[in-house]
Amino acid sequence: MEVKEGLEGIIACKTAISRVEVEDGKAILEYRGYNIHDLAKHSTYEETAYLLLFGDLPSRRELKTFEEELKDLRELPAQIIGLLTHLPPFTHPMVVLRTAISYLGSMDREKHFIDYDHAIQKAKSLIAKIPTIIAYYHRIRTGQNLVHPNPELNHAENFLYMLKGEVPDRIESRALDVDLILHADHELNASTFTARVAASTLADIYACVVAATGALMGPLHGGAAQKVIEMLREIAVPWRAEEYVLRKLERKERIMGFGHRVYKNVLDPRVVELRNLAKKLAKIKGSKWFDIAEEVAKAVYKHKGLLPNVDFYSACVYASLGIPDDLYIPIFAMGRIAGWTAHIIEQYMNNRLIRPRALYVGERNRRYVPLKERP
Ligand code: COA
């Protein structure tokens, strides 16, 4: 039995949702066959979510219907608002998110219906409600009135509006829209794999998404984005970046926002888009984080040969948008929910229980000593 630590390189399932491959030394990321660069340039989050869920780009009429359905599903039941009010205000928003999703599940009498039509309906509801959960919780914990969803606004615009209480400008909302597209799916990343493992037991969709949110929160996955901004704040000025990186590497500590299990020595295509976005926003908003980030990236490459990952420049994008640090991971979830639900449904539709084996390395055949004979 050969053990592949971290399941590195193991092909655990078939999928028709996203393709991550390296061709001629260049990384490719496609959703349902469409290149991520084309989607970032031309698509919207709503259209991308439709593509991931249904497999094809929508017609104009299909997209309009889908957008309207999401708008109708944005508002939260009063019980969920009550829950957000009662959680301690120091609760991390990711913990709030998974608790609220679990509560939504408890309110759905048909949560165990996992046929295609029911699963799609629940996926739409989760895509629509996650931004509202995040924005409402933030307003509640900061003692501000709730700003209810505005059906005149698209998904990204409406989130920023509910969070900040004013309609964002076109540059801000498009930046978030593109960021959400870039986060919408990424094959068998840890949280999506977690969601598929739960789905393979035929657990309900809320349970699968709660499992995925738990995995996303860890600093080696989506939690890295929050750590990146904390690092940039600690560095504070570009000229301190190299000394910071060297100190970290000397102590054998990880630098958050760098390295990737799949993109080894090739640049993650999402990073190209996010870097451009971060640079543009920093210029417009007069934010200093991009310049510091660039110096960190240069130093990490020079001293460790590692490239930045998706969490590195997305942290600069969120900082320029004035988003609180602890909302970075929930915003990742807000994008990834489309991919998670698409994968859960793909797993339900062609299921076999995911149950790998482990190589036992512990002691064997030990003689049981009754408690009274032990010291
Ligand atoms: N900072 C410093 N060193 C890093 C590193 C980082 N961010 N990421 C990897 N390395 C180093 C490891 O220490 C190891 O070095 P060594 O061979 O000298 O011991 C080598 O690179 C391989 O690392 P490994 O942990 O085996 O790679 P992995 O494929 O298991 O890990 C990640 C992938 C993403 C978990 C890892 O790169 C990481 O921890 N990154 C930081 C967290 C992060 O940004 N996560 C978001 C991912 S999208």
Side-chain angles (χ1 to χ4, degrees), residues 220-221 224 254-259 261 264 304 306 309 311:
L220 296 191
H221 190 6
R254 293 202 170 213
I255 299 157
M256 291 297 148
F258 289 86
R261 176 59 64 76
K264 305 249 187 226
K304 189 72 186 173
L306 288 171
N309 59 44
D311 293 305

Side-chain angles (χ1 to χ4, degrees), residues 46-113:
E46 289 89 323
E47 184 188 53
T48 300
Y50 183 101
L51 172 68
L52 289 167
L53 281 179
F54 297 101
D56 288 307
L57 287 173
S59 66
R60 271 177 278 178
R61 195 164 53 81
E62 285 166 337
L63 181 58
K64 180 115 190 53
T65 308
F66 185 66
E67 287 169 348
E68 292 305 320
E69 284 179 301
L70 292 184
K71 285 176 181 172
D72 288 346
L73 289 163
R74 282 174 181 167
E75 191 53 275
L76 302 180
Q79 293 92 324
I80 301 288
I81 298 176
L83 170 80
L84 301 181
T85 315
H86 284 101
L87 285 167
F90 52 81
T91 311
H92 191 285
M94 267 314 271
V95 176
V96 173
L97 189 60
R98 68 170 192 241
T99 309
I101 293 169
S102 190
Y103 197 170
L104 278 172
S106 80
M107 295 173 66
D108 182 351
R109 287 177 187 275
E110 297 186 343
K111 65 175 162 298
H112 297 297
F113 294 9

